Amino acid sequence: MAVRESLEVADGGCDDDGHRPRRAGTAWTCAAHIITAVIGSGVLSLAWSVAQLGWVVGPACMFCFALVTYVSAALLAGCYRTGDPEKGHRNPSYTDAVRAYLGKKHTWACGSLQYVSLYGCGVAYTITTATSIRAILKANCYHKHGHDAPCSYEGSYYMLVFGAAQLFLSFIPDFHDMAWLSVVAAVMSFSYAFIGLGLGMATTIANGTIKGSITGVPMRTPMQKIWRVSQAIGDIAFAYPYSLILLEIQDTLKSPPAENKTMKRASMISILVTTFFYLCCGCFGYAAFGSHAPGNLLTGFGFYEPYWLIDFANACIILHLLGGYQVYSQPIFQFADRFFAERFPDSGFVNDFHTVQLPCLPPWRVNLLRVCFRTVYVASTTAVAVAFPYFNEVLALLGALNFWPLAIYFPVEMYFIQRNVTRWSARWVVLQTFSVVCLLVSAFALVGSIEGLISQKLG
């Protein structure tokens, strides 16, 4: 969001496709946008993930996902232009690239997965925000009455409050296009991520020892350990890939040099930075708390003091996710508007706008379809969050659902067509093996996350 506005410079020229102003992004500005987009709520679960995997497998798993993410980004970057990598037709979004290389059926499947992913993020953000609101109240309560005080707050109520706020924001025209929203989201995400890292480091130093073990959190049975490992892998998968936004960021890069070369360099820079940051957050969190590492580093109450810093970090999470929910929901809203307008061009319910005048506010144009659809959408994400308010398991489910199809399968298949890779050639076999291995990892994480949701619900 607002990537093009922040990177393009009106220099009076045009690109090869007539785009004005000329694209002016560089590898460094591109890397900055990737880092800003990737570092978010997923970082909060990494200490818990490392705790489930242990000191050897945990960091190794992060390195593996970093490598896989770079390979995926490199494959996808080559698909930005159809045909010639410097003069071919541009594909400014992920869906455009799938349509150009793989056809309508794959585009439909890709779009469906994207919308499911966006919907799932709305659910996850509702859960996370309610948890952060409760954490602020708990932090103040523990500070006032002591760490053993029975400070308990009902999460469903705060999910309903968040849903009401999102319903209001959903009716603000062009809310998702406000450039300041990107700046606020970036500042908030970095703020709470650095606070979590700093508190983990400080607690480790204060303890005077590094907690944890080689095998991670002990479980009563081997099967329980397997399920926990699969959920941890799903959480890490949620934190890493950025396939859905890669081509949109690449569409801001200047040329020459060819955009795919610049994007590969930017991906290397951003992945190195995020991996270092993730390792610090995950490992310092595990070193501080060992087997008791909380599922959400800033709301699980490994940290009690300074309570005001806990409050500030969770306030940053809330502000970040208030805007983030809209960023992820607006593509679905826009798709619904277009779909119903094309299907029912003569319907007044679908196409007519009515002016509403509220006290002390400017006139507001209201469409009945938008009111109904957006109300049902926000209500449904809130209802799902209330039914399954489990942070780690929901993130693992989203990570597992998105990882293989969107980050691996489509980029690999498009690369085969773009480079005319022959079946059963060495390159084809290597990439297909890579895809199959990632499919198995994704399936393992998916089964474990579903088991975790069911166990939590029944338990």
Side-chain angles (χ1 to χ4, degrees):
M1 183 185 55
V3 170
R4 291 183 178 85
E5 289 86 343
S6 59
L7 292 184
E8 291 167 355
V9 177
D11 61 358
C14 294
D15 282 319
D16 54 274
D17 63 347
H19 181 275
R20 181 185 292 271
R22 186 187 296 274
R23 296 167 175 88
T26 65
W28 290 104
T29 56
C30 181
H33 276 275
I34 293 172
I35 294 168
T36 300
V38 170
I39 294 179
S41 59
V43 74
L44 300 174
S45 67
L46 292 180
W48 182 87
S49 298
V50 175
Q52 310 313 310
L53 299 170
W55 274 121
V56 175
V57 179
C61 191
M62 289 194 195
F63 278 117
C64 288
F65 271 97
L67 178 61
V68 167
T69 301
Y70 177 74
V71 172
S72 168
L75 296 176
L76 192 54
C79 300
Y80 172 63
R81 289 183 182 267
T82 305
D84 187 88
E86 294 189 13
K87 298 296 182 182
H89 174 72
R90 297 174 187 265
N91 298 304
S93 72
Y94 192 97
T95 306
D96 290 331
V98 173
R99 184 182 296 109
Y101 284 100
L102 302 177
K104 290 184 178 180
K105 290 184 178 180
H106 282 81
T107 304
W108 183 89
C110 174
S112 300
L113 286 168
Q114 282 183 292
Y115 290 133
V116 169
S117 172
L118 296 174
Y119 183 88
C121 284
V123 175
Y125 282 9
T126 303
I127 296 169
T128 308
T129 304
T131 306
S132 291
I133 295 173
R134 293 167 61 200
I136 292 174
L137 297 173
K138 283 185 176 182
N140 295 335
C141 177
Y142 288 137
H143 176 75
K144 185 176 181 180
H145 301 291
H147 297 172
D148 296 325
C151 300
S152 180
Y153 300 91
E154 176 58 43
S156 300
Y157 171 76
Y158 300 106
M159 292 182 194
L160 295 175
V161 171
F162 180 76
Q166 290 303 330
L167 186 60
F168 172 76
L169 295 176
S170 297
F171 296 130
I172 297 178
D174 300 322
F175 181 79
H176 63 294
D177 287 332
M178 296 178 184
W180 59 266
L181 195 59
S182 289
V183 177
V184 171
V187 172
M188 293 300 103
S189 61
F190 274 101
S191 295
Y192 66 71
F194 274 111
I195 289 171
L197 171 59
L199 289 172
M201 293 176 63
T203 303
T204 302
I205 295 170
N207 291 340
T209 184
I210 296 177
K211 297 183 179 181
S213 65
I214 299 296
T215 57
V217 177
M219 303 299 292
R220 285 179 295 179
T221 66
M223 186 56 66
Q224 286 181 329
K225 182 66 176 178
I226 290 173
W227 294 135
R228 282 293 187 90
V229 168
S230 68
Q231 292 167 30
I233 291 174
D235 282 347
I236 296 174
F238 178 83
Y240 260 103
Y242 53 93
S243 304
L244 292 180
I245 61 169
L246 184 143
L247 292 181
E248 292 189 356
I249 294 176
Q250 189 169 342
D251 193 45
T252 66
L253 295 175
K254 63 182 179 181
S255 177
E259 297 91 349
N260 62 333
K261 295 179 180 178
T262 306
M263 176 53 80
K264 289 177 184 177
R265 183 184 172 205
S267 294
M268 176 63 75
I269 295 169
S270 59
I271 290 171
L272 286 174
V273 171
T274 54
T275 300
F276 173 77
F277 191 81
Y278 283 178
L279 283 169
C280 288
C281 286
C283 293
F284 274 113
Y286 185 38
F289 301 113
S291 297
H292 299 291
N296 183 324
L297 191 60
L298 291 173
T299 64
F301 282 94
F303 307 115
Y304 288 95
E305 300 290 343
Y307 79 100
W308 58 266
L309 189 59
I310 306 299
D311 288 354
F312 177 74
N314 281 288
C316 289
I317 295 174
I318 294 167
L319 288 174
H320 178 205
L321 301 188
L322 275 170
Y325 183 102
Q326 287 300 311
V327 172
Y328 283 103
S329 300
Q330 288 295 333
I332 298 178
F333 295 161
Q334 292 167 4
F335 170 78
D337 292 344
R338 290 195 304 269
F339 175 80
F340 287 108
E342 292 171 0
R343 288 289 299 272
F344 307 100
D346 300 323
S347 171
F349 176 79
V350 172
N351 298 294
D352 290 350
F353 284 82
H354 308 276
T355 301
V356 176
Q357 179 68 63
L358 297 176
C360 303
L361 292 175
W364 206 339
R365 298 187 70 208
V366 175
N367 175 269
L368 293 177
L369 170 67
R370 291 186 180 183
V371 170
C372 294
F373 180 83
R374 297 181 187 200
T375 300
V376 170
Y377 177 87
V378 173
S380 66
T381 57
T382 305
V384 173
V386 170
F388 298 96
Y390 314 119
F391 177 75
N392 294 100
E393 290 78 11
V394 169
L395 292 194
L397 179 64
L398 292 173
L401 279 174
N402 298 332
F403 174 62
W404 177 74
L406 296 178
I408 308 299
Y409 173 75
F410 287 119
V412 167
E413 294 300 315
M414 288 190 288
Y415 179 83
F416 286 155
I417 296 174
Q418 201 266 344
R419 294 297 181 92
N420 295 316
V421 178
T422 307
R423 268 181 173 274
W424 302 110
S425 63
R427 185 181 298 182
W428 187 90
V429 170
V430 169
L431 286 176
Q432 286 288 20
T433 303
F434 169 72
S435 181
V436 169
V437 170
C438 290
L439 170 61
L440 295 176
V441 171
S442 193
F444 175 60
L446 179 62
V447 172
S449 61
I450 293 174
E451 189 280 337
L453 282 173
I454 294 172
S455 297
Q456 288 277 22
K457 191 65 179 176
L458 298 179

